[in-house]
Amino acid sequence: MQPQPAHRSALTARPALPVSGVNGKPPIVVEELSKTYKVADREAGLGAAVKSFFKRKFKEVHAVQRVSFQIDQGEIVGFLGPNGAGKTTTLKMLSGLLYPTSGRASVLGYTPWERRAGYLRSMTLVMGQRNRLAWDVPAADSFLLNKAIYRLSDADYKRSFQELDDLLELGPIIRKPVRNLSLGERMKCELAASLLHRPSVLFLDEPTIGLDVGAQARIRAFLKEYNRRNSATVILTSHYMADVVALCERVIIIHHGMLRYDGGLNELSRRIAPYKIISVHLGGCDDCVLDAYGTVLPGEDETGKKRLQVPADQVPAITARLLAEQPVQDLTIEEPPIEDVIERAFNERAFNE
Amino acid sequence: MNALRIIGAFLRLNVQVALAYRSEAVVQILLNLMWLGWELTSLAIIFANTNELGGWGPAELVALLGVWRLVNTMMSIIVWPNTEKFNQGLRDGSLDYTFLQPANSQFLVSVTRIELWRLWDFVIAVVLIVAGLGMSGRVATPANIATFLALTVSGAAVLYSLWIVMIAVTFWFTRFDNNVTILAALMDAGRFPAQVYPFWLRLLITFVIPIAVATTVPLQGLRGELAWWETAGFLALGVLAVWVSSRLWKAGVRRYSGASS
């Protein structure tokens, strides 16, 4: 396969979706967005510290570099990249918290960093590692605060609250002081507080971080349902691939502040990891050598299955050979694990070769 | 009005916190009474040795103590607790959420915490002012009282603005634990009339950290000692301070949005 420059392929790889949103424009349009920080730069040691006290040297950090993309109404897009790739910085610019160094963005027709009240009332930013609820009082009271700040009418608040209560099964947890809640319960309340004003654009920065598998699954199911009911547009970052697989048909990969990929998840694995995994169960042959067919992956499960990594285009031929030459009892062909694909995608060379 | 509804919601939260920490409230009220005892004792010691201090008699200093406590009450109801909340928000990033809410961020950071049980201090302050004036044998005219109230509000506005300036300046620096230390340290200077201090300190507490504007000046208004243009000047200072501080706050927020990561 001939990889193309990521940003170009991103625009051509996706089928044209019906565009809606503001005046026919997609709700999120980002053009050449960049953010550069200045950070003090000095070497370790006392001498360097004294020197930098008198003469500061600054180093420029290009957190986000000329990133462009569009997101249509109702899409849930996964924002992926290793730590420090620029995901959170991008989300902060789109939510209006940070000014970009250059470039443009339009969300629901607004320029986010102008922070117009109309904009702030129609979007939300959820940061999984940060607290918005008051710590010492029940979440229900923080909800009432949000009702006042977002100027929700009694009827709107009630309707919104009931729906969230229903979907998230908040029940009695909103009447306990937030400090007494488990992390999963707290995240439910954080989400409810962030969504009471029914935003149509959601920026979710690791909303499932630190949660156990069950709680993660509940949050995912909730987000999917919220998205379906309100046709909300969602950008989500997560380090849990299960979140991405369950929620996002489309992913955007950012690395070193640059957009590396924008397109479907399946396409990504075809492009980045053009191989499949053949699992075979051989009858009466514990020490058969399968190296001739492909790369044998380390580890086999308790049933004695062996796993072979083979190039995608050779799967039919190799399968045929295996069946003909080996005592195969069972054989399955699987896609490469998504973690593996993403890991390769984060590796810079994946797109440059 | 929506600002009132937001304050109402914050009050609800803070009433609950206050109720959850009842014993702390009791301890604070007792401590405060102890401080009052100490403040009155030190006045008694001073006036055992002299009849006046910078032209002010003992009764007048009791009244000044009342005015000073009035201002201090405002500081302890909103300024100090919200400073703590603000610094914590900067550190853990929860301040980000404040800037993304569709309400004035300066207003939000000013009313998030309200130490309700401190309202009791207002009562003590008013008692001190009334008692001080009574002992001095002065009769305050309604015009004097109106001047006093206006000057107190404007003096409080000046101190509040100074606080906003100090926390806004934090946006330009990375260290933020000491941003209001000088304000807290100089608050104490307001307990005595500005006239007792050496010239340079009087300048400092009138113009740089204008504690005197919120203590000595309103009391002078109550005693009818200020010319109309002085009164007007101090009221104008209050308006100017609020305007300057809100401009600086906005610039600080812009700086935060430009430089933080």
Side-chain angles (χ1 to χ4, degrees), chain B residues 179-228:
Chain B
N179 46 4
V180 296
T181 309
I182 185 158
L183 184 58
L186 283 177
M187 270 311 288
D188 237 19
R191 259 172 58 195
F192 295 104
Q195 289 83 350
V196 309
Y197 295 112
F199 183 68
W200 63 270
L201 188 56
R202 211 182 314 160
L203 282 183
L204 186 70
I205 64 172
T206 309
F207 296 107
V208 186
I209 311 287
I211 311 297
V213 172
T215 53
T216 308
V217 169
L219 192 62
Q220 284 177 318
L222 187 59
R223 305 194 327 167
E225 288 176 2
L226 294 177
W228 70 267

Side-chain angles (χ1 to χ4, degrees), chain A residues 170-181:
Chain A
L170 296 172
I173 64 172
I174 60 158
R175 282 185 287 279
K176 283 198 259 175
V178 170
R179 69 183 131 86
N180 294 344
L181 298 180

Side-chain angles (χ1 to χ4, degrees), chain A residues 13-288:
Chain A
R14 299 185 48 246
L17 285 172
V19 170
S20 49
V22 184
N23 305 327
K25 256 174 80 182
I28 302 180
V29 181
V30 177
E31 286 166 355
E32 305 269 308
L33 201 62
S34 301
K35 177 76 185 176
T36 304
Y37 300 120
K38 268 197 181 134
V39 293
D41 179 34
R42 67 172 177 85
E43 283 149 35
L46 186 62
V50 171
K51 218 157 75 187
S52 88
F53 182 83
F54 293 105
K55 197 178 173 207
R56 282 284 173 89
K57 266 200 292 186
F58 288 99
K59 192 174 67 177
E60 290 201 328
V61 175
H62 302 283
V64 175
Q65 300 180 57
R66 299 163 67 89
V67 166
S68 303
F69 57 84
Q70 297 192 355
I71 297 178
D72 291 317
Q73 191 175 353
E75 268 195 292
I76 305 184
V77 174
F79 231 48
L80 308 178
N83 290 329
K87 294 168 301 195
T88 302
T89 304
T90 307
L91 284 194
K92 282 186 169 181
M93 285 192 281
L94 290 182
S95 60
L97 207 50
L98 293 185
Y99 297 121
T101 311
S102 66
R104 289 167 303 281
S106 154
V107 184
L108 299 170
Y110 293 94
T111 299
W113 41 91
E114 288 173 1
R115 292 203 277 252
R116 301 277 164 102
Y119 178 61
L120 299 179
R121 269 199 278 275
S122 46
M123 70 89 185
T124 200
L125 170 70
V126 177
M127 294 180 275
Q129 313 204 55
R130 300 206 178 153
N131 251 323
R132 86 167 58 208
L133 300 167
W135 194 242
D136 287 313
V137 296
D141 293 288
S142 289
F143 292 176
L144 288 176
L145 176 64
N146 277 14
K147 172 177 180 268
I149 289 177
Y150 285 92
R151 304 183 187 199
L152 305 177
S153 71
D154 288 340
D156 283 347
Y157 172 77
K158 213 168 169 184
R159 196 169 337 120
S160 213
F161 174 75
Q162 250 153 26
E163 186 181 2
L164 291 166
D165 185 23
D166 187 38
L167 288 176
L168 281 166
E169 295 165 14
L170 296 172
I173 64 172
I174 60 158
R175 282 185 287 279
K176 283 198 259 175
V178 170
R179 69 183 131 86
N180 294 344
L181 298 180
S182 72
L183 190 57
E185 290 171 331
R186 210 181 77 210
M187 200 57 223
K188 280 183 177 183
C189 293
E190 288 271 341
L191 271 175
S194 315
L195 297 173
L196 276 172
H197 59 289
R198 288 176 176 268
S200 52
V201 170
L202 279 59
F203 301 110
L204 308 174
D205 194 14
E206 308 198 24
T208 55
I209 195 159
L211 302 185
D212 65 53
V213 179
Q216 279 183 25
R218 279 192 293 279
I219 298 286
R220 278 199 288 275
F222 164 73
L223 290 174
K224 201 158 197 169
E225 184 59 20
Y226 182 89
N227 162 261
R228 195 186 63 77
R229 288 193 190 187
N230 301 286
S231 86
T233 308
V234 182
I235 300 185
L236 167 105
T237 78
S238 177
H239 286 294
Y240 301 112
M241 285 312 128
D243 287 349
V244 178
V245 172
L247 293 172
C248 315
E249 282 174 26
R250 174 181 168 198
V251 296
I252 290 177
I253 294 180
I254 293 193
H255 194 24
H256 292 317
M258 283 181 282
L259 194 145
R260 317 303 305 233
Y261 177 83
D262 178 355
L265 200 52
N266 294 335
E267 239 172 295
L268 176 69
S269 66
R270 270 201 296 279
R271 169 110 71 93
I272 295 280
Y275 65 85
K276 297 205 177 195
I277 308 287
I278 303 180
S279 298
V280 285
H281 188 69
L282 302 178
C285 178
D286 283 339
D287 47 352
C288 285

